[in-house]
Amino acid sequence: MTNTKNSKLPVFAVIFTVIFKLIFLLTHYIQEDAFITWRVAQNVLDYGVIGFNGGTKISASTTHLYVFISYVFNLIFGKENFIEPLLIFNSLLFTIGTLFLSHLLLKNPWHKALFIFLIGILPPAIKISILGMEYGILFFLEMALLYYGFSKEKKWIQIIVPLLILFTRIDTVIFLGVVFLVDIVWNKKIKWSYILGGVIGVSSVLAFNWFYFGELINNTIIAKKLLYGQNFSLAQNLEYFNTSYGNFWGMLKLPGNFNPLTIIMIVFELMCFIYLMRQKESRNYFLWIIFTFGWLKQIIFLSQKSLFDWYYWVPQILLFVPVLIFVLEQKAKRNLWLSLLIIFYIIPMLLFQIVNSIATGNGEWNYRRQIGLFLHDYEKDKKQWILLEPAGYIPYFSGLKAIDEVGLVDKKIQEEIKKDKPNYWINTVKKRKPKYLLSYKNLYDDKNAEYYKAHYKLLKEFRIKDHLKNSNKILEKIYHLKPSGTDYNLYIKID
């Protein structure tokens, strides 16, 4: 009976971890890009088209599979009530993914249960669960592939799951490629069913993009590369890496570029990985996969100047896995090791994320969402256009058609970037004449001030300082400790 009960501990840990993290829903910390995906899903619902602005097709969201899942949740729960159920679903899938990972790496049910909970309350795991992005689904699929496809050797999983993974994010070719290479080196043979799955997955995604959108690569990738792409020398690239890695390799982002805690964590992770490798157990196969992927994914994305922190959530978690295994399996002074890890790392990281979630949630939900709600009430004609950046909260809650500065949700602005990048904003305004402009700066002080003064008037100023007050003094202190949000000026076209 005891063994039966213990065998269920990891499942109980999954349930407890998901329930524990529900408290973060109260912070309303939802990533801006999640609302782009959700608006695309609702566009499918309203227009039958994968797009952002009515009947125009565009891959405004990075993830096709998550768009479909968001569409289903909108269909079931309605546009007003789908967010919380979807966030809980994301959290559940991610935590089940950690259950699969624990089965691959640990034997003791108590170790598995602690592993699931401690992984689940790390900052990137909390963000994967509650920020509304596709990474909960992605983590679940990747760990399901390893557990059922490569541990249980189910060939149908090797064929089908790569397709789902690639339809979640096309950059997952990195993960699938690492799995393929490590498997060949380790087992000295080729899994042809996995190759078939990869070929079907890649060809299906590219074919879908081409025949539906008329492009091979998602528009989001093309748009970011077009606007943010820069030609750096080797010296500049090295300098860039030196000033950037600290806030992405580690689990917390500190003010400034250099984060010394990251160096300590990288060294400790490497030492734990080497220690586990020396034990020469069968699980080393999976440790090689997740550790190699963690390093490679971060190196590739940093080299491409990808500074959006969600690209690094899954690698951050996987690189930390050897640390947890090392601590949990200490035969001498295990409780001391575990206590030190929890007191000096896990709890500080959890507290850091609580503060970050509360502060950022205030800046996003209580501030940026209010701009969208203001426009929703002010402008009844939802066919009117607004030029702004970013394209998440404000277009979603205003219901207006949107032109974003990057071109994620509107391709026409990309043509202006190609023609005249320094002046693409004003050129877009003159050509498209959107009814609303939302700018970080005062356009009346711009070099094109005369044009703006002649054709647009200032409708309203939005200031983050006005949203840093709360009747709860603790919350108010957190808001001031980490003020999140940007000042905006809203302009309306003069008829």
Side-chain angles (χ1 to χ4, degrees), residues 13-80:
V14 168
I15 298 169
F16 177 77
T17 303
V18 172
I19 293 172
F20 179 85
K21 289 198 288 190
L22 289 180
I23 192 170
F24 281 91
L25 295 179
L26 300 175
T27 67
H28 289 113
Y29 178 22
I30 302 175
Q31 178 61 41
E32 183 87 26
D33 284 45
F35 285 99
I36 297 178
T37 297
W38 295 340
R39 171 143 163 176
V40 172
Q42 292 176 358
N43 203 78
V44 177
L45 198 65
D46 296 335
Y47 297 94
V49 170
I50 301 175
F52 193 88
N53 294 311
T56 304
K57 295 179 180 179
I58 185 172
S59 53
S61 173
T62 309
T63 168
H64 298 323
L65 180 63
Y66 189 42
V67 165
F68 173 73
I69 291 172
S70 300
Y71 164 82
V72 171
F73 270 76
N74 271 273
L75 205 60
I76 295 172
F77 296 97
K79 293 181 182 178
E80 303 298 324

Side-chain angles (χ1 to χ4, degrees), residues 68 139 332 405 479:
F68 173 73
F139 191 82
E405 294 180 4
Y479 294 164

Side-chain angles (χ1 to χ4, degrees), residues 469-486:
K469 296 177 183 178
N470 193 287
S471 57
N472 186 310
K473 295 303 176 186
I474 295 177
L475 290 179
E476 186 171 296
K477 286 182 179 179
I478 291 174
Y479 294 164
H480 282 275
L481 178 66
K482 188 183 179 298
S484 179
T486 308

Side-chain angles (χ1 to χ4, degrees), residues 163-222:
L163 172 67
L164 298 175
I165 289 174
L166 286 162
F167 265 95
T168 306
R169 287 190 67 93
I170 200 167
D171 56 43
T172 51
V173 293
I174 300 171
F175 175 79
L176 296 175
V178 167
V179 173
F180 175 71
L181 292 174
V182 172
D183 183 65
I184 286 182
V185 172
W186 189 273
N187 293 310
K188 306 294 190 299
K189 64 179 182 178
I190 296 175
K191 286 186 171 63
W192 293 105
S193 54
Y194 183 58
I195 290 179
L196 177 61
V199 171
I200 292 173
V202 171
S203 58
S204 297
V205 172
L206 295 180
F208 177 76
N209 283 346
W210 180 256
F211 288 109
Y212 193 86
F213 299 109
E215 60 195 18
L216 288 175
I217 305 299
N218 298 48
N219 175 70
T220 51
I221 298 172
I222 296 170

Side-chain angles (χ1 to χ4, degrees), residues 287-479:
L287 282 172
W288 269 113
I289 289 174
I290 65 175
F291 211 70
T292 303
F293 166 69
W295 274 83
L296 187 62
K297 172 74 180 285
Q298 299 204 101
I299 289 172
I300 290 174
F301 273 73
L302 277 175
S303 70
Q304 296 302 307
K305 321 295 185 300
S306 300
L307 297 187
F308 301 106
D309 65 341
W310 50 87
Y311 294 142
Y312 305 89
W313 293 342
V314 172
Q316 286 167 1
I317 291 169
L318 296 180
L319 290 176
F320 190 72
V321 165
V323 175
L324 271 182
I325 297 175
F326 169 78
V327 171
L328 289 171
E329 293 188 345
Q330 287 298 306
K331 291 182 174 59
K333 299 182 179 179
R334 179 194 298 124
N335 291 338
L336 175 61
W337 274 98
L338 189 58
S339 299
L340 290 173
L341 179 68
I342 292 173
I343 293 171
F344 290 103
Y345 194 78
I346 301 291
I347 291 178
M349 289 291 99
L350 179 61
L351 293 175
F352 167 81
Q353 189 55 49
I354 290 172
V355 170
N356 185 65
S357 295
I358 291 171
T360 310
N362 175 64
E364 300 288 354
W365 189 263
N366 297 335
Y367 173 58
R368 213 190 300 265
R369 183 178 68 103
Q370 290 301 321
I371 301 175
L373 292 174
F374 168 81
L375 280 164
H376 181 272
D377 294 336
Y378 185 86
E379 180 55 69
K380 303 304 179 184
D381 182 5
K382 301 309 174 187
K383 293 182 180 178
Q384 295 297 335
W385 291 81
I386 180 171
L387 173 57
L388 79 169
E389 177 62 27
Y393 275 87
I394 297 166
Y396 182 90
F397 286 102
S398 70
L400 298 177
K401 291 189 174 183
I403 308 167
D404 68 301
E405 294 180 4
V406 181
L408 300 181
V409 305
D410 184 278
K411 280 189 174 182
K412 292 180 181 178
I413 199 169
Q414 294 178 26
E415 298 304 316
E416 300 301 327
I417 295 172
K418 293 175 185 175
K419 291 177 187 176
D420 185 6
K421 192 171 182 178
N423 299 299
Y424 82 97
W425 212 86
I426 182 63
N427 291 341
T428 299
V429 174
K430 289 179 178 179
K431 183 176 291 186
R432 305 279 295 275
K433 297 180 173 58
K435 185 171 183 178
Y436 296 96
L437 306 176
L438 188 67
S439 176
Y440 300 123
K441 60 184 180 180
N442 182 355
L443 295 180
Y444 293 163
D445 292 335
D446 188 79
K447 64 179 181 179
N448 298 294
E450 293 306 315
Y451 178 88
Y452 292 122
K453 289 176 182 178
H455 296 90
Y456 288 87
K457 70 175 182 179
L458 181 65
L459 178 62
K460 188 174 177 62
E461 294 179 341
F462 297 95
R463 298 292 180 261
I464 186 61
K465 63 181 177 62
D466 298 329
H467 288 262
L468 299 180
K469 296 177 183 178
N470 193 287
S471 57
N472 186 310
K473 295 303 176 186
I474 295 177
L475 290 179
E476 186 171 296
K477 286 182 179 179
I478 291 174
Y479 294 164

Side-chain angles (χ1 to χ4, degrees), residues 82-128:
F82 82 96
I83 293 179
E84 285 78 11
L86 183 55
L87 296 182
I88 295 170
F89 178 72
N90 287 344
S91 183
L92 179 61
L93 283 188
F94 169 78
T95 312
I96 293 174
T98 64
L99 173 66
F100 294 155
L101 186 57
S102 73
H103 288 332
L104 293 172
L105 302 174
L106 296 163
K107 297 176 181 177
N108 187 308
W110 279 101
H111 291 174
K112 291 180 181 181
L114 280 170
F115 177 88
I116 290 165
F117 179 69
L118 294 178
I119 281 285
I121 61 174
L122 291 173
I126 292 168
K127 287 184 280 192
I128 285 174

